[in-house]
Amino acid sequence: MMSPFGRLLLLVCLVLPLYAVEKVRNRGYRKDAEFDKCTGNDADNPNCTRISEEARSTNSNTMHGSCLQGPAGNPGREGNPGTNGIPGTPGIPGRDGMRGEKGECVSEVFEEPWRPNYKQCAWKSLNYGIDLGKIADCTFTKLRSDSTLRVLFSGSLRLKCKTACCQRWYFTFNGAECTGPLPVESIIYLDQGSLELNSTINIHRTSSVEGLCEGMKSGLVDVAVWVGTCSDYPRGDASTGWNSVSRIVIEELPKSF
């Protein structure tokens, strides 16, 4: 068995370390309390001593260094998105750019929509028996210089003669035949006529003279139908517009390219 003195010595060895640890712990609490009192109006007190957060953290780690750290907690959930910030102020306007090169002046031409333009002149019974000369005319107002005129004569035509003969019906524009591109004409030719001009061979047929003419300026155009001879053939006995309606039709058309 252990002697009484040995027991006492063992007890002192166990109690003395615990007492020292408790004393150090209490001393740290008192310092923290003094540091906590150094706030507000005491901040200007010369006896008030502040300690930095780094020193406070070091002191705490020294006192509690013997404690084991527990497991990490679960991550927190994401916070709600923040509201939009206030729009920023407009920036400073930039400097003027360099002056550009001088441009070319381009004029655009807008064409007007095409409007129909036509005219008809009609006669109930011309019954014109001349062999050479103007038969009928019709004045037309041409609106554009780049347009084309379409002309038509419709009426009865007749030719009779003793020997071979030929007659020609044609259009003129302001007194001249068309040159754009060619004349507008129609002919009747008889190879063998009757023995006498008053022969019973006297056939009148409704015929037409039709064509296009280009190259005329805008304005008034005198369109006329004439009768004449064919080249290198003698003329016969011609008749135009017998016992029927005759007409001249004029129409302005856009020029084709």
Side-chain angles (χ1 to χ4, degrees), residues 11-249:
L11 181 61
V12 171
C13 291
L14 294 176
V15 173
L16 186 59
L18 296 176
Y19 174 76
V21 171
E22 185 67 21
K23 187 175 181 180
V24 172
R25 184 178 299 175
N26 292 337
R27 185 182 302 172
Y29 290 158
R30 284 196 301 272
K31 287 184 179 181
D32 291 342
E34 290 178 359
F35 294 150
D36 293 339
K37 290 180 182 180
C38 188
T39 58
N41 296 330
D42 295 336
D44 298 332
N45 192 339
N47 296 325
C48 177
T49 304
R50 287 185 174 275
I51 186 170
S52 63
E53 291 295 328
E54 183 178 358
R56 189 187 299 266
S57 176
T58 304
N59 187 27
S60 176
N61 291 336
T62 303
M63 291 185 296
H64 305 288
S66 60
C67 297
L68 296 177
Q69 184 177 0
N74 295 327
R77 61 181 182 179
E78 294 183 0
N80 296 327
T83 57
N84 294 332
I86 301 173
T89 56
I92 301 174
R95 295 179 297 177
D96 294 339
M98 297 178 61
R99 185 173 181 177
E101 298 180 358
K102 185 177 180 180
E104 297 181 359
C105 182
V106 179
S107 59
E108 296 187 28
V109 179
F110 297 94
E111 295 186 359
E112 296 181 0
W114 183 263
R115 294 185 305 165
N117 183 25
Y118 60 90
K119 184 179 180 179
Q120 174 180 250
C121 297
W123 300 266
K124 186 174 182 181
S125 181
L126 282 176
N127 199 18
Y128 221 28
I130 65 171
D131 302 328
L132 297 172
K134 186 193 303 185
I135 296 174
D137 62 0
C138 183
T139 302
F140 181 77
T141 301
K142 192 169 183 286
L143 300 180
R144 300 193 180 197
S145 296
D146 60 348
S147 60
T148 301
L149 287 187
R150 172 182 173 268
V151 291
L152 166 69
F153 171 79
S154 177
S156 67
L157 304 179
R158 186 221 57 186
L159 178 64
K160 68 177 183 177
C161 53
K162 290 182 179 181
T163 59
C165 61
C166 179
Q167 292 291 142
R168 174 175 176 259
W169 284 260
Y170 59 93
F171 274 99
T172 62
F173 304 87
N174 292 331
E177 290 195 61
C178 179
T179 57
L182 293 170
V184 180
E185 64 179 0
S186 181
I187 67 168
I188 296 178
Y189 169 78
L190 288 180
D191 186 30
Q192 183 178 358
S194 59
L195 297 177
E196 298 179 357
L197 292 178
N198 59 355
S199 172
T200 56
I201 301 176
N202 187 22
I203 301 174
H204 296 261
R205 290 188 178 93
T206 299
S207 305
S208 63
V209 184
E210 182 179 6
L212 301 176
C213 188
E214 302 174 353
M216 286 174 289
K217 296 181 180 180
S218 59
L220 291 177
V221 181
D222 182 36
V223 180
V225 176
W226 296 65
V227 62
T229 60
C230 305
S231 60
D232 300 332
Y233 286 93
R235 75 183 186 192
D237 181 15
S239 175
T240 305
W242 179 79
N243 198 30
S244 61
V245 174
S246 302
R247 59 175 44 88
I248 295 176
V249 178

